[in-house]
């Protein structure tokens, strides 16, 4: 039987671990956002990562998630940890915008950018990832600043989540943008270059070992 002092100590330990986890996450975002956070890319199926990351981020929540993927989706070169961080950040933001529950629609599809058809990207084949929620939306006044470092409207936010997403996508040779209507929801659109490789990187093909 635990004494009152044991319960108090246990509570302090739990709080300490929570602070540690937040500090670790913030440090990781700072490292990723900095020049030292260059991606270590491997050739793999980005749709598998999107499904896994979204499912994990929404586990235990009251938010439904619908995912559609093109059957003939090509492979992509990406850093698994960094791209997982992008999906986590966007999906968690979407979930937090729907405290009473709602739905998130994610699509992973083929996309072609025409020459001079995008001010940021070269013409060619891309994979488009769209993440839409039915939440409160983003006020027009702050939309131009959502990817700015340290800009946040959350009381306990770091302001690095979306800035890190922007940095990661840019370092992958892609682009991210957002559209929002207040009271109806927000959509984030990501474009990533299609890989020139035709097969999976060997280290990703192997199934993870469970111990």
């Amino acid at each position: 039987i635990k004494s009152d002092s044991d319960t108090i100590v246990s509570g302090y330990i739990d709080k300490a671990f929570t602070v540690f986890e937040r500090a670790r996450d913030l440090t990781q975002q700072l490292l990723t956002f900095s020049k030292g956070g260059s991606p270590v890319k491997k050739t793999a199926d980005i749709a598998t990562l999107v499904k896994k990351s979204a499912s994990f981020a929404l586990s235990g929540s009251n938010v439904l998630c619908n995912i559609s993927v093109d059957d003939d989706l090509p492979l992509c070169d990406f850093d698994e940890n960094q791209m997982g961080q992008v999906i986590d950040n966007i999906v968690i933001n979407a979930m937090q915008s729907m405290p009473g529950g709602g739905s998130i629609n994610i699509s992973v599809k083929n996309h072609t950018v025409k020459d001079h058809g995008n001010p940021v990207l070269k013409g060619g084949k891309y994979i488009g990832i769209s993440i839409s929620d039915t939440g409160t939306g983003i006020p027009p006044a702050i939309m131009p600043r959502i990817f700015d470092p340290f800009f946040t409207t959350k009381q306990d936010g770091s302001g690095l989540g979306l800035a890190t997403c922007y940095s990661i996508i840019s370092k992958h040779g892609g682009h991210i943008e957002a559209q929002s209507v207040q009271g109806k929801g927000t959509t984030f659109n990501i474009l990533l270059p299609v890989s020139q490789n035709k097969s999976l990187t060997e280290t990703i093909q192997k199934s993870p070992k469970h111990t």
Side-chain angles (χ1 to χ4, degrees):
I1 300 174
K2 286 186 176 182
S3 65
D4 290 342
S5 59
D6 289 336
T7 302
I8 293 172
V9 170
S10 178
Y12 281 131
I13 292 174
D14 288 342
K15 288 181 180 179
F17 273 112
T18 299
V19 171
F20 171 77
E21 291 291 339
R22 290 188 62 187
R24 186 185 66 177
D25 291 343
L26 179 58
T27 301
Q28 181 60 48
Q29 291 190 72
L30 283 167
L31 287 172
T32 303
F33 185 71
S34 71
K35 291 182 179 179
S38 298
V40 180
K41 300 178 185 177
K42 297 175 183 177
T43 304
D45 174 21
I46 191 69
T48 299
L49 176 70
V50 171
K51 291 176 182 177
K52 181 176 69 174
S53 297
S55 175
F56 182 78
L58 294 173
S59 59
S61 75
N62 59 350
V63 174
L64 300 175
C65 186
N66 305 302
I67 301 178
S68 61
V69 179
D70 277 356
D71 293 333
D72 57 345
L73 196 74
L75 299 175
C76 182
D77 299 325
F78 60 93
D79 184 308
E80 187 173 10
N81 290 329
Q82 290 191 7
M83 285 306 303
Q85 191 175 347
V86 169
I87 303 303
D88 285 348
N89 279 336
I90 296 176
V91 169
I92 289 173
N93 279 349
M95 179 178 65
Q96 291 175 344
S97 76
M98 300 179 290
S103 62
I104 296 176
N105 295 310
I106 302 176
S107 66
V108 187
K109 299 184 178 299
N110 289 292
H111 188 93
T112 300
V113 173
K114 296 180 180 179
D115 290 332
H116 311 296
N118 186 293
V120 178
L121 301 176
K122 298 178 181 179
K125 293 183 178 180
Y126 290 80
I127 294 174
I129 303 171
S130 177
I131 303 175
S132 300
D133 63 58
T134 54
T136 54
I138 302 171
I142 69 173
M143 274 295 290
R145 302 185 60 193
I146 62 172
F147 294 115
D148 290 353
F150 305 108
F151 174 76
T152 181
T153 58
K154 300 176 183 178
Q155 187 175 359
D156 59 349
S158 67
L160 282 174
L162 291 179
T164 301
C165 291
Y166 189 92
S167 177
I168 290 172
I169 298 301
S170 296
K171 289 175 182 177
H172 279 73
H175 184 59
I176 180 172
E177 60 183 15
Q179 301 169 336
S180 186
V181 178
Q182 276 194 277
K184 293 187 177 181
T186 302
T187 298
F188 283 88
N189 293 308
I190 299 169
L191 289 176
L192 294 172
V194 165
S195 177
Q196 299 302 308
N197 299 323
K198 301 301 181 183
S199 59
L200 301 177
T201 299
E202 183 180 356
T203 53
I204 285 196
Q205 282 182 311
K206 295 178 181 178
S207 300
K209 294 181 179 179
H210 299 282
T211 56

